[in-house]
């Protein structure tokens, strides 16, 4: 399953950027193709993933959760124990290493909650690269500790005061910076979004999650899992887990989006949720469109503006979704559902108390779906849930809600 033509996944994806960016994308695409095939590059990345990130991350059998739910055997893929506490470091290190190879000493990145900014700042500190992170003013106020972390790691955090002063505005500014400084700068994008080659490249850097999980479950159980579950913001941790299993038709996959306050409330980020048939005017609807250089589903207002989304977890609070997800959904290979904020908080509590693992609010969306499905599946079946990150960053939010 490769993109048919230049970064296209079916009708999704592509390169929708100003003319001035085309040479930079072409340069990046070529450099990535060469690096991907270069054993030295792959060996260097593997070495860092092992000795710095702590890979392979464990695949843990969740015995008490399994017994409690009384159905399928549940395994947890533990990205929460990766250095910096989430999967984002896998991609940040891969791209930072590539930038260095390309002779680009300066990195720009965008961040919403700050997780990708921290991942990028960490990779830049490790590899001796200059790092500038664009962050919306609203997000900076909401995520003070992560702003300080990035600064401590030597990054410059630039406040973005335009638009809604959140993630999508930060992405706009990062792209603007890249266009202006493309000679010495690489744009380190944080999910399977943006123009080609980003969705493919980020997926490749995250596919280590699924490659490990596949080998680990085969070693533990002797056969493949029946179901994989992961949360979907931009879509990188889910694509990272799913990719190695795509050819295995017997392995079902579910992506879990942010249901926020419920679909009917209009306060959510569930791009794939079926439209509600109420007579009240829908506040937003997912329609095909172009955002940040790629064609995919985008939550829009009735007059076609990018909608303001909502989720209790900042990492899932984005109006669009990676183009490969849109395609694999059309193909029927992956199905999508959502968990509400309330279900997510209940999942945080249950996993914490039964397994001693406090998940990130994003990851808890996947756990919420596992809680719904596990009792309906036979006891001799297997499920793998991706714990994309740890919950330390979310303690304030959890304290105010629990
Ligand atoms: C950023 C983030 C996500 C959402 O991003 P994806 O690209 O969909 O993976 C999920 N979990 C955690 C812990 C995150 O930091």
């Amino acid at each position: 399953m490769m993109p048919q033509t230049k970064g296209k996944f079916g009708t999704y994806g592509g390169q929708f950027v100003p003319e001035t960016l085309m040479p930079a994308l072409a340069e990046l695409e070529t450099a990535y193709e060469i690096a991907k095939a270069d054993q030295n590059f792959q060996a260097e990345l593997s070495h860092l993933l092992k000795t710095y990130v702590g890979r392979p991350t464990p695949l843990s059998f969740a015995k008490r959760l399994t017994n409690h739910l009384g159905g399928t055997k549940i395994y947890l893929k533990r990205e929460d124990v990766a250095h910096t506490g989430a999967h984002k470091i896998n991609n940040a290190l891969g791209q930072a290493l590539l930038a260095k190879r390309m002779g680009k000493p300066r990195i720009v990145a965008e961040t919403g909650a700050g997780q990708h900014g921290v991942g990028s700042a960490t990779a830049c500190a490790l590899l001796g690269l200059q790092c500038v992170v664009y962050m919306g003013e609203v997000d900076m106020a909401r995520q003070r500790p992560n702003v300080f972390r990035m600064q401590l790691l030597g990054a410059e955090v630039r406040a973005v005061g335009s638009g809604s002063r959140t993630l999508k505005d930060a992405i706009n500014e990062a792209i603007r910076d890249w266009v202006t400084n493309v000679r010495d700068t690489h744009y380190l994008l944080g999910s399977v979004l943006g123009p080609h080659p980003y969705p493919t490249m980020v997926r490749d850097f995250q596919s280590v999650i699924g490659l490990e999980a596949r080998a680990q479950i085969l070693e533990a159980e002797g056969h493949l899992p029946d179901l994989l579950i992961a949360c979907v913001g931009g879509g990188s941790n889910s694509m990272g887990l799913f990719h190695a299993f795509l050819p295995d038709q017997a392995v079902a996959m579910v992506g879990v989006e942010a249901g926020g306050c419920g679909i009917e409330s209009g306060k959510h980020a569930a791009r794939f949720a079926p439209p509600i048939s109420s007579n009240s005017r829908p506040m937003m609807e997912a329609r095909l469109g172009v955002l940040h250089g790629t064609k995919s589903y985008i939550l829009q207002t009735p007059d076609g503006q990018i909608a303001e989304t909502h989720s209790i977890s900042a990492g899932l609070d984005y109006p669009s979704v990676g183009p490969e997800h849109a395609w694999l959904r059309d193909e029927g290979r992956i199905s999508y559902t959502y968990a509400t904020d309330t279900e997510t908080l209940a999942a945080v509590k249950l996993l914490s108390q039964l397994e001693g693992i406090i998940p990130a609010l994003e990851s808890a969306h996947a756990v919420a779906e596992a809680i719904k499905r596990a009792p309906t599946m036979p006891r001799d079946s297997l499920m793998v849930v991706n714990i994309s990150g740890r919950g330390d960053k979310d303690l304030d939010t959890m304290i105010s809600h629990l």
Side-chain angles (χ1 to χ4, degrees):
M1 296 208 196
M2 289 294 291
Q4 286 84 354
T5 56
K6 213 141 165 108
K8 297 280 279 190
F9 299 95
T11 55
Y12 309 104
Q15 290 178 319
F16 296 87
V17 296
E19 207 53 44
T20 45
L21 256 191
M22 289 306 284
L25 288 177
E27 184 193 1
L28 178 60
E29 186 184 5
T30 305
Y32 176 59
E33 284 308 318
I34 293 169
K36 189 179 170 180
D38 181 344
Q39 291 192 351
N40 290 330
F41 177 80
Q42 295 296 349
E44 196 176 354
L45 180 56
S46 295
H47 180 74
L48 288 177
L49 290 175
K50 182 178 173 194
T51 61
Y52 185 73
V53 176
R55 305 206 71 91
T57 58
L59 183 76
S60 309
F61 174 46
K63 189 175 173 192
R64 296 190 67 219
L65 183 66
T66 296
N67 289 342
H68 176 80
L69 295 171
T72 190
K73 271 179 104 165
I74 302 170
Y75 280 84
L76 308 172
K77 181 57 175 164
R78 302 287 309 283
E79 293 303 293
D80 58 307
V81 303
H83 178 49
T84 68
H87 68 290
K88 294 225 167 64
I89 190 75
N90 305 325
N91 169 53
L93 261 186
Q95 285 194 51
L97 212 53
L98 181 63
K100 213 168 164 168
R101 233 180 114 98
M102 292 172 75
K104 311 232 172 189
R106 183 173 177 272
I107 297 291
V108 291
E110 81 293 341
T111 200
Q115 289 307 105
H116 174 58
V118 169
S120 300
T122 301
C124 288
L126 180 72
L127 299 177
L129 299 165
Q130 188 195 342
C131 185
V132 174
V133 181
Y134 288 91
M135 189 171 188
E137 282 173 350
V138 170
D139 290 332
M140 281 180 79
R142 288 195 285 209
Q143 308 284 341
R144 291 302 312 167
N146 272 342
V147 174
F148 183 62
R149 266 185 205 111
M150 288 183 265
Q151 289 167 341
L152 202 54
L153 290 160
E156 180 194 340
V157 182
R158 289 194 187 161
V160 177
S162 55
S164 57
R165 296 178 292 152
T166 58
L167 178 62
K168 77 175 160 56
D169 313 290
I171 296 179
N172 289 337
E173 284 309 313
I175 293 174
R176 203 161 297 161
D177 183 316
W178 191 32
V179 176
T180 315
N181 301 294
V182 69
R183 269 174 170 280
D184 74 341
T185 299
H186 171 68
Y187 175 29
L188 208 170
L189 210 163
S191 190
V192 287
L193 297 163
H196 179 69
Y198 284 102
T200 305
M201 178 172 69
V202 177
R203 175 254 274 158
D204 289 349
F205 286 137
Q206 293 294 0
S207 64
V208 64
I209 301 171
L211 288 167
E212 286 175 7
R214 200 173 186 288
Q216 288 166 321
I217 194 81
L218 285 174
E219 181 172 350
E221 294 283 345
H223 60 98
L224 290 173
D226 298 275
L227 180 65
L228 309 175
I229 304 181
C231 67
V232 184
S236 69
N237 85 86
S238 49
M239 203 49 81
L241 174 67
F242 296 164
H243 193 250
F245 295 92
L246 283 176
D248 306 306
Q249 289 301 328
V251 180
M253 303 172 187
V254 183
V256 187
E257 299 185 288
C261 305
I263 303 306
E264 61 296 334
S265 71
K267 294 168 95 176
H268 64 86
R271 290 87 20 133
F272 292 140
I276 40 160
S277 53
S278 84
N279 34 19
S280 64
R281 190 177 77 109
M283 277 163 269
M284 59 180 176
E285 216 171 17
R287 285 198 300 270
L288 199 57
V290 170
L291 181 64
H292 299 134
T294 193
K295 189 191 273 187
S296 187
Y297 286 100
I298 304 166
L299 285 166
Q300 304 176 33
T301 61
D303 52 356
Q305 300 296 311
I306 306 299
E308 289 275 328
T309 52
H310 162 82
S311 170
I312 193 168
S313 63
L316 305 187
D317 197 353
Y318 181 72
S320 189
V321 62
E324 192 170 9
H325 280 283
W327 178 59
L328 290 168
R329 175 182 180 250
D330 283 3
E331 296 282 301
R333 183 66 188 91
I334 305 179
S335 60
Y336 294 83
T337 185
Y338 58 86
T340 64
D341 291 351
T342 308
E343 291 166 336
T344 297
L345 288 163
V348 167
K349 235 174 147 170
L350 197 68
L351 193 71
S352 301
Q353 293 174 7
L354 291 180
E355 297 294 338
I357 297 167
I358 302 173
L361 283 168
E362 291 84 3
S363 324
H365 285 71
V367 178
E369 180 63 14
I371 292 168
K372 290 177 204 168
R373 294 222 183 195
T376 72
M377 294 171 65
R379 280 169 194 272
D380 61 354
S381 64
L382 294 176
M383 172 193 282
V384 174
V385 183
N386 204 20
I387 305 300
S388 54
R390 63 176 183 233
D392 303 44
K393 68 183 177 63
D394 298 319
L395 285 184
D396 283 345
T397 313
M398 291 175 189
I399 288 164
S400 63
H401 284 89
L402 285 171

